Amino acid sequence: MAKIDQINSNFKGKDILSLDQFDNKSLQTLFSEASKMASLAKSASLPDTLKGTLTTLLFYEPSSRTFGSFSAAIKRLGGQTIDIQNPSQTSSVAKGESLSDTVKVFENYSDTLIIRHPEVGSAVKSAAAASIPVINAGDGAGEHPTQALLDLFTIHQRFGSLNNLTILIAGDIKNGRTVHSLLRGLILFDNVTVYLLSPESLKLSRVELEDLTKRGSKLIEITSEQEIPKDANVWYWTRVQKERFEDVSEYEKVKHSFVVTKKFLGTYGNDNLIIMHPLPRVGEIAEEVDSDHRAVYLTDEMRNGMYIRMALMSLVLGRV
Ligand code: NCD
């Protein structure tokens, strides 16, 4: 197994596999770089920091946002990508090639490798096989660190800090990898209370709940909208992860347990919260909410994804 290095504010050459690699200071380093990228992008003066670098995007699971966001981030800084989507059907993987062989091949061509794969632990496995930095773009129901980094950046940008916040996370807490990474990031801040709203069957695994609680998370599990705290700063909604269900009828039963509509927001929300979602949404936030001043999922959150990935790639490739 690969060693999972702590970042300790030095990203150069490191794998990015889990939010557990980060401390508060490393997040601040990344956020300050991402803020620079945001202002350079606004003044149309982005540098070609990644010129001469080549990144392999190896995506075994469907993706448009994360794939597009990494690709845009790299190309806007002058870097290039080798794009492999769905290799299970389109490449030697279809002939039975192992994940580590595929990784070993592409490290000969590129400076970093970004991987999305349906198996928990696949990114760690890839990092063990590779001698170039590997970035986890989602390993099954495991983690999705870059999504959590952009989510934390979005919350930080809006509230000026990640301390003293009340966060509501709703939907598929059990299978949602963005949630698993976000919870690991929120541990790093003071006085953060997290409410986890889900149907019984989609609660966080007991092992993970215990682990995060031991490490200092204040997690409150709720199963009804009536229990949503009135003073929440963030509503983080998620999709029920259909692809993780063995029985589709079980998915059908829970898929729309909690749907944000204007009415729902009026009843359980407050005027100062922000509404986030990693996307794609499949009905758990009604389109009528998109124009609400609190909705950031199609705007700030998405743009920040590109800025955070620009910052991360520059730091990992030692171009800062
Ligand atoms: C998420 C993912 O793939 O985990 N999407 C994303 O990367 N933006 C969330 C999801 O698919 O529900």
Side-chain angles (χ1 to χ4, degrees), residues 99-297:
L99 175 61
S100 60
D101 275 8
T102 307
V103 166
K104 284 199 167 100
V105 167
F106 283 96
E107 75 172 347
N108 291 296
Y109 308 151
S110 47
D111 305 296
T112 51
L113 189 138
I114 299 171
I115 183 161
R116 168 170 289 193
H117 192 279
E119 258 170 54
V120 176
S122 52
V124 173
K125 213 195 254 173
S126 304
S131 56
I132 55 171
V134 170
I135 298 176
N136 181 5
D139 63 320
E143 280 208 55
H144 190 348
T146 60
Q147 178 69 42
L149 293 170
L150 77 90
D151 292 331
L152 292 166
F153 179 57
T154 303
I155 300 170
H156 183 268
Q157 197 179 50
R158 184 57 71 104
F159 297 102
S161 158
L162 279 148
N163 298 319
N164 307 315
L165 294 174
T166 300
I167 314 243
L168 169 70
I169 303 181
D172 194 342
I173 315 294
K174 179 181 175 198
N175 300 303
R177 56 195 174 197
T178 71
V179 175
H180 302 158
S181 287
L182 185 58
L183 290 174
R184 284 173 169 77
L186 290 170
I187 287 184
L188 301 172
F189 299 91
D190 296 332
N191 192 26
V192 175
T193 306
V194 184
Y195 286 78
L196 300 171
L197 170 64
S198 72
E200 271 303 324
S201 62
L202 298 181
K203 279 183 169 175
L204 198 63
S205 81
R206 297 303 88 182
V207 172
E208 200 154 357
L209 180 77
E210 214 173 282
D211 175 50
L212 292 168
T213 306
K214 249 194 226 149
R215 289 161 58 189
S217 281
K218 192 169 170 215
L219 303 177
I220 301 172
E221 294 184 300
I222 57 178
T223 49
S224 146
E225 57 268 40
Q226 325 278 352
E227 299 168 272
I228 293 176
K230 258 295 183 196
D231 62 345
N233 303 103
V234 176
W235 277 17
Y236 187 90
W237 237 254
T238 65
R239 169 181 75 91
V240 175
Q241 308 277 299
K242 184 178 184 182
E243 63 275 37
R244 312 287 173 228
F245 283 72
E246 269 165 28
D247 179 351
V248 181
S249 69
E250 287 305 311
Y251 164 75
E252 293 295 331
K253 276 189 218 154
V254 288
K255 67 175 182 186
H256 288 152
S257 300
F258 305 103
V259 177
V260 182
T261 57
K262 274 188 181 171
K263 188 159 173 256
F264 186 99
L265 193 50
T267 311
Y268 303 108
N270 64 62
D271 209 38
N272 299 315
L273 57 79
I274 56 171
I275 310 166
M276 302 177 69
H277 192 305
L279 301 182
R281 68 173 151 181
V282 284
E284 60 280 345
I285 300 182
E287 281 182 19
E288 63 180 17
V289 177
D290 298 357
S291 55
D292 190 284
H293 69 279
R294 292 163 284 190
V296 301
Y297 45 86

Side-chain angles (χ1 to χ4, degrees), residues 50-121:
L50 296 181
K51 195 169 173 195
T53 68
L54 189 50
T55 296
T56 299
L57 290 161
L58 183 59
F59 277 56
Y60 289 79
E61 268 192 343
S63 171
S64 42
R65 248 152 302 273
T66 304
F67 190 91
S69 166
F70 266 116
S71 183
I74 292 163
K75 287 175 179 146
R76 282 191 179 272
L77 294 178
Q80 289 182 298
T81 59
I82 302 175
D83 299 344
I84 303 169
Q85 267 184 309
N86 204 6
S88 314
Q89 275 159 38
T90 58
S91 77
S92 296
V93 174
K95 302 177 192 165
E97 186 174 64
S98 72
L99 175 61
S100 60
D101 275 8
T102 307
V103 166
K104 284 199 167 100
V105 167
F106 283 96
E107 75 172 347
N108 291 296
Y109 308 151
S110 47
D111 305 296
T112 51
L113 189 138
I114 299 171
I115 183 161
R116 168 170 289 193
H117 192 279
E119 258 170 54
V120 176

